[in-house]
């Protein structure tokens, strides 16, 4: 299921989809609900499956690169009240080196993410 995906704004599992941040408790949607083994969790964030904007396509003699972007807006995702910009750059070189660079920008001054 999740191989090769960029998992944002959180990876892995959040038990019962509930977390507390700076004395505020938030409820994420639960997208893992199994009985064997028993698990009830918010799993792997919201970015997988989102349509991302193409920011740039770069070509040179030595490589090709594609940069994609997505912005999380406060309240646009259930249980995630933060503004966060995501940029992902995929680069392939003539030497068959594949790089993935991820940049996150917190758009809420004074709020650590």
């Amino acid at each position: 299921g999740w191989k090769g995906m960029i998992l944002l704004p959180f990876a892995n599992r959040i038990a019962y989809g509930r977390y507390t941040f700076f004395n505020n408790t938030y409820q994420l949607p639960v997208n893992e609900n199994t009985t064997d083994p028993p698990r009830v969790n918010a799993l792997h964030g919201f970015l997988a499956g989102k349509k991302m904007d193409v920011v740039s396509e770069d070509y040179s003699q030595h490589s090709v690169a594609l940069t994609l972007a997505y912005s999380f807006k406060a309240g646009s995702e259930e249980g995630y009240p933060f503004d966060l910009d995501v940029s992902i750059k995929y680069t392939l070189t003539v030497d068959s080196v594949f790089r993935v660079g991820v940049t996150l920008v917190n758009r809420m001054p004074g709020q650590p993410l």
Side-chain angles (χ1 to χ4, degrees), residues 71-75 80-85 105-108 113:
S71 292
F72 291 99
K73 301 296 181 201
Y80 193 74
F82 308 107
D83 288 339
L84 180 67
D85 291 343
V105 177
N106 175 5
R107 293 290 178 202
M108 298 181 73
L113 297 180

Side-chain angles (χ1 to χ4, degrees), residues 20-102:
T20 300
F21 187 75
F22 281 95
N23 297 317
N24 292 310
T25 299
Y26 301 97
Q27 179 66 52
L28 299 165
V30 170
N31 58 347
E32 180 185 49
N33 195 348
T34 63
T35 56
D36 188 24
R39 291 183 178 155
V40 180
N41 302 299
L43 187 63
H44 298 324
F46 312 114
L47 189 62
K50 296 284 188 195
K51 183 178 184 224
M52 299 184 75
D53 295 322
V54 175
V55 175
S56 67
E57 300 171 9
D58 301 305
Y59 311 92
S60 76
Q61 201 174 342
H62 306 286
S63 66
V64 294
L66 175 69
T67 303
L68 304 173
Y70 186 82
S71 292
F72 291 99
K73 301 296 181 201
S76 66
E77 302 291 342
E78 182 183 344
Y80 193 74
F82 308 107
D83 288 339
L84 180 67
D85 291 343
V86 179
S87 176
I88 305 171
K89 183 175 184 178
Y90 299 94
T91 305
L92 180 62
T93 70
V94 294
D95 300 326
S96 299
V97 174
F98 182 63
R99 292 187 185 99
V100 179
V102 179

